[in-house]
């Protein structure tokens, strides 16, 4: 199945995603189809809503020390729940649905999540660093929240102006 990335300001990105209930081949095929979409656009994280499927599923492949993203680093996180969060960290985030924009966003430094894998098995994951940031960024997508929503009023205004200009140039 060919999946295309939905880009801001498309209203579909604002939908709240619903829990995955059935862990069948259809789900597996969809997760398999998400992977090249993320990897072909230099992504490190992608939520299902970004390919127009409002289900609580996200994939991550955090680059390792030499910047590689081997397939075995792929994380498929379904129905995530954050059970612990602490500390604070700031990172310049980007998003495949908001191309060419990067902004400093504050997130929790450490989180623990419960989630299910593609077969419905419940797992627990403790994360810090880039993985923690990425998980929080992607879980926001499941609530219809984008990283640009976290900008101050003035920074958001600046973003909207620049983004509108970029959209006009694209036409
Ligand atoms: C031109 C452009 O838009 O560049 C990009 C922007 C963002 C991205 C990917 C962003 C991404 O994977 N974000 C996942 C969430 C996340 C944000 C910050 C830290 C961890 C995880 C890739 C880009 O490269 C291309 C070719 O699109
Ligand atoms: Co994103």
């Amino acid at each position: 199945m060919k999946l295309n990335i939905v880009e801001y300001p498309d209203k579909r990105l604002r939908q709240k995603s619903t829990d995955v209930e059935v862990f069948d081949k259809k789900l597996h095929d969809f997760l398999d189809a998400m992977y090249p979409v993320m990897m072909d656009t230099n992504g490190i994280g992608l939520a299902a809503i970004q390919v127009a499927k409002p289900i609580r599923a996200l994939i991550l492949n955090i680059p390792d020390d030499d910047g590689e993203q081997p397939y075995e680093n792929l994380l498929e996180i379904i129905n995530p729940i954050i059970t612990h969060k602490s500390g604070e960290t700031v990172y310049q985030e980007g998003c495949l649905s908001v191309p060419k924009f990067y902004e400093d966003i504050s997130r929790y430094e450490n989180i623990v999540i419960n989630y299910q894998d593609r077969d419905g098995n419940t797992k627990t994951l403790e994360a810090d660093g880039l993985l923690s940031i990425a998980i929080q960024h992607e879980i926001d997508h499941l609530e219809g929240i984008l990283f640009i929503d976290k900008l101050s009023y003035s920074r958001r205004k600046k973003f909207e102006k620049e983004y509108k200009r970029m959209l006009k140039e694209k036409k």
Side-chain angles (χ1 to χ4, degrees):
M1 66 186 93
K2 178 84 187 83
L3 299 176
N4 295 308
I5 292 181
V6 177
E7 290 186 353
Y8 180 82
D10 194 309
K11 281 269 168 280
R12 287 174 294 173
L13 289 169
R14 298 307 188 174
Q15 288 176 295
K16 267 182 75 59
S17 299
T18 54
D19 272 351
V20 172
E21 314 277 357
V22 181
F23 295 78
D24 57 3
K25 185 175 178 313
K26 234 164 118 298
L27 175 70
H28 296 174
D29 291 347
F30 174 71
L31 292 167
D32 292 340
M34 281 179 73
Y35 188 68
V37 172
M38 178 177 80
M39 297 305 281
D40 294 350
T41 50
N42 300 343
I44 57 178
L46 186 70
I49 188 77
Q50 293 180 270
V51 285
K53 204 152 164 77
I55 61 168
R56 299 184 80 79
L58 61 99
I59 62 171
L60 292 165
N61 195 332
I62 306 296
D64 54 26
D65 297 351
D66 38 28
E68 300 301 314
Q69 293 174 279
Y71 185 76
E72 55 272 7
N73 281 6
L74 173 67
L75 272 172
E76 295 174 330
I77 295 177
I78 297 164
N79 302 334
I81 298 168
I82 298 179
T83 57
H84 291 87
K85 47 198 182 187
S86 67
E88 196 244 347
T89 181
V90 175
Y91 188 86
Q92 192 180 51
E93 298 188 11
C95 179
L96 290 170
S97 293
V98 187
K100 297 187 179 57
F101 276 87
Y102 311 91
E103 294 281 358
D104 280 347
I105 302 294
S106 169
R107 301 272 185 191
Y108 291 106
E109 168 71 34
N110 305 291
I111 61 170
V112 179
I113 59 167
N114 288 340
Y115 69 96
Q116 289 169 274
D117 65 14
R118 62 164 55 198
D119 299 313
N121 303 310
T122 305
K123 305 225 161 151
T124 299
L125 175 66
E126 186 167 348
D128 63 1
L130 191 49
L131 177 58
S132 170
I133 293 166
I135 291 171
Q136 293 172 75
H137 175 111
E138 299 307 335
I139 289 180
D140 273 353
H141 274 297
L142 307 184
E143 302 304 323
I145 297 167
L146 297 172
F147 77 106
I148 50 168
D149 301 340
K150 297 170 173 307
L151 295 175
S152 65
Y153 180 80
S154 57
R155 291 252 307 281
R156 180 61 183 269
K157 284 293 186 228
K158 183 170 146 294
F159 158 77
E160 293 293 355
K161 209 163 96 255
E162 287 168 14
Y163 198 81
K164 275 198 183 55
R165 194 178 325 121
M166 192 264 286
L167 281 185
K168 261 209 287 296
E169 277 152 26
K170 246 173 26 173
K171 283 203 178 60

